[in-house]
Amino acid sequence: MQDFHYKGLPVEVYFGLGQSAQVKDILLEQGYQRVLVITTPGQEKAGQELANKLGDISIGVYPHAVMHVPIAIADEAVAYAQLHEVDCCLSLGGGSTIGLAKAIALQTHLPIVAIPTTYAGSEMTAIYGVTDNHHKTTGKNNCVLPKMVIYDPELNLSLPAQVSACSGMNAMAHAIEALYAEDKNPIISLMAIESIQALKSALPIIVKDISNIAARQKASYGAWLAGVCLGSVGMAMHHKICHVLGGTFNLPHAEAHAIILAYSVHYNRHADSEAMDRLAMALAVDSREELGLAIYRLNQFLGIEMALKNIGLPKEGPTKVAQMVGDSPYYNPRDYNYQELKELLEKAYEGLPPA
Ligand code: NAD
């Protein structure tokens, strides 16, 4: 066994059906008196209902979160929070909403309480991202790590089947890359395997019946574990590819992660044999050779769009992405091979199986 360093995330987590009902008590216990509820425009109504429940400690809803946190939106939100003397940002939503709360926290050091409603995992990380003129900058700062996270799987019931499937595969990508991270450790690997198994069993049920509450619980559990993985160890080539797809080509985040995962796992299949053997067991496949294909088939079963060309990647995309990944690579358990990566991305562009 290799040496390791482990540091737990200082986040308090409440998990369970109906847990969001106790949010006011949780906020009062912390002494917060001027809470700003943050949502996307699409979740404004849910945000308003939440603000109503908070009563006198709510200063209203700020429904302006959008994907990838454009700098202008972040600056307006910071000014709004300062003007209204907010003392806590309560994020109700997915990664975009938490992203806006993090952008506020980065400049103001205001605490965040998060109620996640997708499976993206941002609520468990100190990673922030801001986009300026089509260029996304990410960084790490403990001041953006939410103080408390409330997982209430009932709130995921309204998440459409396709969004659920892609978001769940986005979570699975965090867990898979944690298995072969440069700074991997035994605790996070255990969480990663548990996360992969939970997501693999829950997502096929959710796409057939989005109101299956047991599957929703399991998916939220898998997403929490995946978020811990993402927040605790470094990610590898898969996340780099998706960063380029989102940042440079503006591809939708969760969809890009879902598609790429089959190809990035296939690329790395022989790189970290211990990690990949564990992944094969978690995905119930016989050999590492079948790993990418197993994820590809799972995506097919979930009804996920299979081709990058259908979610906005232009024809020259595979070549450019392969180059950009090599220009500033993340750690990866296997060396960068431009030709092989380009060929895999060409398959992903067409939605062809990785092997
Ligand atoms: P999202 O937050 O943009 O949500 C997708 C859509 O679903 C939105 O329109 C939203 O309003 C809607 N929605 C969310 N929950 C819903 C629900 N329960 N019912 C109905 N509709 C609902 O998407 P996402 O994939 O969660 O987040 C993507 C963003 O998060 C990206 O910008 C990505 O970079 C970021 N992210 C950051 C981290 C991090 O650690 N910093 C981790 C993962 C993702």
Side-chain angles (χ1 to χ4, degrees):
M1 179 184 270
Q2 70 179 54
D3 297 348
F4 65 89
H5 169 241
Y6 173 76
K7 189 174 176 199
L9 296 169
V11 184
E12 213 170 309
V13 172
Y14 296 80
F15 187 102
L17 294 178
Q19 284 283 331
S20 57
Q22 55 163 324
V23 62
K24 185 172 181 182
D25 292 341
I26 291 169
L27 294 167
L28 280 173
E29 212 170 283
Q30 296 300 313
Y32 302 137
Q33 294 291 330
R34 297 188 61 78
V35 178
L36 181 62
V37 177
I38 300 174
T39 69
T40 56
Q43 289 183 287
E44 181 174 3
K45 190 164 165 274
Q48 195 54 59
E49 285 165 15
L50 181 60
N52 292 345
K53 283 185 199 147
L54 297 184
D56 56 354
I57 64 164
S58 160
I59 64 140
V61 182
Y62 194 80
H64 303 299
V66 293
M67 201 170 282
H68 303 314
V69 197
I71 189 86
I73 301 249
D75 287 345
E76 278 169 30
V78 168
Y80 187 92
Q82 286 170 333
L83 181 70
H84 292 84
E85 297 179 345
V86 168
D87 64 9
C88 172
C89 293
L90 176 58
S91 157
L92 175 71
S96 299
T97 306
I98 298 163
L100 184 57
K102 285 178 170 181
I104 297 172
L106 189 65
Q107 291 194 46
T108 61
H109 286 212
L110 280 172
I112 300 172
V113 174
I115 306 181
T117 62
T118 70
Y119 304 124
S122 179
E123 65 281 358
M124 294 306 298
T125 83
I127 305 164
Y128 62 86
V130 185
T131 306
D132 190 6
N133 198 18
H134 302 292
H135 182 73
K136 189 167 182 176
T137 314
T138 58
K140 229 175 176 183
N141 191 319
N142 283 342
C143 75
V144 309
L145 182 70
K147 300 272 172 273
M148 274 153 216
V149 178
I150 305 170
Y151 289 95
D152 183 345
E154 272 178 22
L155 301 180
N156 295 98
L157 293 174
S158 53
L159 199 61
Q162 278 322 292
V163 186
S164 301
C166 292
S167 190
M169 293 307 289
N170 180 192
M172 193 185 285
H174 307 327
I176 288 180
E177 292 238 289
L179 283 176
Y180 50 72
E182 187 174 23
D183 51 350
K184 66 181 180 177
N185 67 66
I187 298 174
I188 293 301
S189 295
L190 284 172
M191 288 185 169
I193 292 294
E194 178 81 353
S195 166
I196 293 160
Q197 287 173 331
L199 292 163
K200 177 181 170 269
S201 71
L203 297 178
I205 301 171
I206 289 172
V207 295
K208 298 276 176 255
D209 173 13
I210 60 165
S211 56
N212 186 308
I213 198 69
R216 288 292 189 181
Q217 282 174 294
K218 208 173 224 186
S220 291
Y221 172 62
W224 165 57
L225 293 169
V228 176
C229 291
L230 177 67
S232 302
V233 295
M235 296 288 114
M237 182 184 271
H238 169 86
H239 278 73
K240 174 67 190 184
I241 295 170
C242 294
H243 194 105
V244 172
L245 290 172
T248 304
F249 294 98
N250 205 23
L251 261 54
H253 177 85
E255 286 88 334
H257 269 275
I259 293 176
I260 289 298
L261 191 59
Y263 305 90
S264 52
V265 164
H266 185 73
Y267 181 89
N268 282 329
R269 67 196 180 283
H270 297 306
D272 178 335
S273 50
E274 189 200 349
M276 289 310 196
D277 283 343
R278 291 184 81 176
L279 179 59
M281 278 178 70
L283 292 177
V285 300
D286 292 334
S287 79
R288 285 180 239 147
E289 206 55 54
E290 297 165 42
L291 280 171
L293 196 58
I295 293 168
Y296 180 87
R297 298 270 180 252
L298 176 59
N299 279 348
Q300 258 180 338
F301 186 86
L302 297 176
I304 286 172
E305 172 54 60
M306 302 296 283
L308 290 176
K309 67 180 179 186
N310 294 338
I311 63 165
L313 191 69
K315 186 112 188 76
E316 69 280 11
T319 306
K320 281 198 170 169
V321 175
Q323 279 164 354
M324 289 175 75
V325 169
D327 286 346
S328 57
Y330 287 8
Y331 162 82
N332 194 58
R334 186 186 156 196
D335 284 347
Y336 171 72
N337 179 322
Y338 167 75
Q339 191 57 31
E340 198 175 325
L341 184 59
K342 183 169 90 74
E343 282 168 20
L344 276 177
L345 288 168
E346 278 162 356
K347 286 184 178 172
Y349 178 81
E350 297 292 347
L352 297 170

